[in-house]
Each structure stands twice: as C-alpha cells, then as structure tokens.
Amino acid sequence: MTGTADEPGHEGAPAVPESAAWLKGELLEIASALYPDRRPVVVREWTDPVRLRDPAPVGHRFLFLVCAGRDDHLSSPGFDDALNAFDAAGWNLHRRTSDHPGESAATVRREDFEARIHEGKGPGILSFTGWTPVVYTEGRLGQPPFTRSTSRGVLCADCHGWGVCMICEGRPYSGGSGGYGRCWCAANNAGPGRCIECAGQGLLTPEEASWKRRRYGLSDDDSGDAFPRAAAEGGHDSNTSAFIDVSHRSCACGEFRCFWRNNLSRVDGHLLSRFAGTCQGCAAQRAYVFTLPLA
C-alpha cells in the first residue's frame, strides 16, 4: 500500500503496519473458511488520512474491502453464516436493521478493530469492510469520531470531522497571557470549543452537501435509493467482477469512497446486477447496472 494516492494532494500512506496486516489476514481467513472452494477477493485497500489544522496528515486509518462470495448461489453460505464465523473468531456482533428490504447488515468489533458485513438482495454480494484504529505518525492522539470511510455523511472541511475548533482544539480558551484569551469559536452560537462551521457535528449540513453536489453538476436528488436510475452495462461474467469494477470507479467529485449495496435479480433470461451507494465526498447518489450471464 506504500505510495498510494487516494486523495488529491495525498502523497501516500506509510508502510502497512502489523495491525493492518493482521486485520487483512483475519478477514481473508474468515472468508476462506466460509467458501473453501473459492478464493476470497481483496476488492480494494486504501487509507483514510487524518488531519488537524495543517494539510499534511498526522495519521492514517487502514481499510480493506473483501468480497467473500455469493454469485447467485442460493445454497452457499450467506449472512448468518458470516456472523457465526466472526463470532467464533472472537468478534463482538452488532446486528443492524437494514433500511432496505432483502438486504442484511451488521457491524463486528474486536478490540479497536471494526468491520461492516453486508449482504445484498437476490442473493447479492456478501462483503466485509474492515478498518483499523487510526495509526499516528508521531505521538499518540485520541481516536477521531470517524474518518471519511466510516462516517454517515460528508466530513466538515474545516474540522476534518473532529467536530472541534482547530484553533483551540476543543478548549473554550486559547492563547493570550496565561492561556486565557477567548477563542473565536465560542461565538455564533457554536459553543466553546466546537467547530463553528458544523456546530460540533463534524459533518457537512445537508444544505452544504447539496451545494457541493451542484458545484460538480451532480443531481440533488436525496431519495436515498439509486437502484433504478442507471443504464445497463455489459462486459462482466460474474457479480464479483462487476463489484470489483464499481469499487474502483470514482464520483464526479473525485471521491471513490462509497459503501456499495447490491441487488441481483433475473430479468428476461439474464441476471441484472444493480449497485447503489452514497458518495462519502459529496453525498451524491451513485448507481450502476450490469447484465450478467446466467450460470
């Protein structure tokens, strides 16, 4: 992963630490145990840079997206089997109610490591997205509330998701003689120590995200389900192949980070694979559709 360039101006993450190598191996081991007759695929691996006031990152979170299986094989292991496998490996399970009928989702945690398990409809792709705690380059800071890949929105451009003022670093007073100079972040009803731009939430408001989408000429539709809105493409012989393709495409805003959902169905003698997700750089609804050959 050394030398990657996941963001404009990001010159690459440091060498993969032992913690990230362990997580990647753990996800692959669990997926291999579920599907001993097929090799799990590391669809993408990347980092989330963590910043304070300066543009240069002070740390990185390492992430891995693994496709475990489910290419229209109803009898193969699925979501519940995956949960049992993580449980047996010592992970704590947190099953979530999916917002979309027919899909299943859960998060698992082991010490400071987390992973998101998702199975699409139809049966759609069964995927594991795992991430490490933030690894800092110098010293040790606290863990941020979230980073771009793990947030449920778009990070605030001023506080980079921390939710606090970057001048006083969350304290109500900063500078001056003895440190008693009042920080400007206490104004505008933001409250002492909180970021004014996002009022301490760490995320862009819906209005700001909407403005950002319009800036890139993107639709401002917030329906939350983009499945029906894309023309079908060909060129893939499996759902896994389509998933790899989609996971390496970027939004018009330049961001590739997107939590993909999958819906697999039979239509007019072929399989139709739909992918939908929300861009984590501008909150645009993204969608792709592929025709696949019947097995």
Side-chain angles (χ1 to χ4, degrees), residues 55-289:
V58 296
H60 296 83
R61 166 169 279 153
F62 293 79
L63 299 100
F64 304 92
L65 172 59
V66 173
C67 177
R70 301 293 272 182
D71 267 331
D72 194 35
H73 297 286
L74 285 168
S75 61
S76 63
F79 180 76
D80 289 333
D81 301 290
L83 291 187
N84 291 335
F86 275 96
D87 184 43
W91 292 73
N92 297 317
L93 310 181
H94 303 279
R95 187 187 290 263
R96 296 189 290 112
T97 301
S98 177
D99 297 329
H100 308 281
E103 300 178 42
S104 300
T107 56
V108 294
R109 186 180 182 91
R110 182 171 176 179
E111 297 177 351
D112 293 328
F113 299 89
E114 292 187 61
R116 180 167 46 204
I117 306 169
H118 181 266
E119 184 180 58
K121 181 180 178 181
I125 290 290
L126 174 64
S127 65
F128 308 152
T129 305
W131 57 87
T132 68
V134 173
V135 180
Y136 291 103
T137 53
E138 295 182 8
R140 182 173 177 82
L141 301 172
Q143 292 294 310
F146 34 66
T147 56
R148 180 162 291 185
S149 296
T150 62
S151 70
R152 291 187 174 273
V154 181
L155 295 190
C156 172
D158 278 53
C159 68
H160 308 298
W162 287 92
V164 300
C165 170
M166 291 287 98
I167 294 178
C168 68
E169 298 179 350
R171 296 181 294 271
Y173 297 94
S174 177
S177 177
Y180 289 101
R182 190 170 183 82
C183 180
W184 66 280
C185 67
N188 293 341
N189 298 319
R194 291 193 293 177
C195 172
I196 286 180
E197 295 301 320
C198 65
Q201 298 302 307
L203 302 174
L204 293 184
T205 65
E207 293 76 19
E208 290 171 326
S210 175
W211 176 87
K212 189 172 184 180
R213 289 193 295 275
R214 292 196 301 271
R215 174 185 172 190
Y216 291 102
L218 295 166
S219 170
D220 205 27
D221 184 2
D222 290 319
S223 63
D225 188 349
F227 274 148
R229 304 187 190 105
E233 304 178 39
H236 292 286
D237 59 2
S238 70
N239 207 18
T240 298
S241 175
F243 186 40
I244 294 171
D245 181 353
V246 165
S247 299
H248 284 80
R249 298 189 185 190
S250 297
C251 177
C253 75
E255 179 59 68
F256 69 84
R257 294 169 179 85
C258 185
F259 175 50
W260 292 108
R261 298 165 42 225
N262 182 229
N263 182 323
L264 191 64
S265 59
R266 293 174 182 260
V267 179
D268 298 331
H270 58 257
L271 292 176
L272 199 64
S273 177
R274 295 182 174 94
F275 290 90
T278 302
C279 175
Q280 287 165 288
C282 68
Q285 298 296 315
R286 300 181 59 196
Y288 300 97
V289 179

Side-chain angles (χ1 to χ4, degrees), residues 30-67:
I30 291 174
S32 296
L34 279 172
Y35 299 92
D37 60 337
R38 68 176 71 177
R39 185 177 180 180
V41 178
V42 179
V43 175
R44 184 152 197 168
E45 44 190 288
W46 69 99
T47 65
D48 279 356
V50 175
R51 297 179 173 86
L52 295 177
R53 272 188 289 178
D54 297 328
V58 296
H60 296 83
R61 166 169 279 153
F62 293 79
L63 299 100
F64 304 92
L65 172 59
V66 173
C67 177

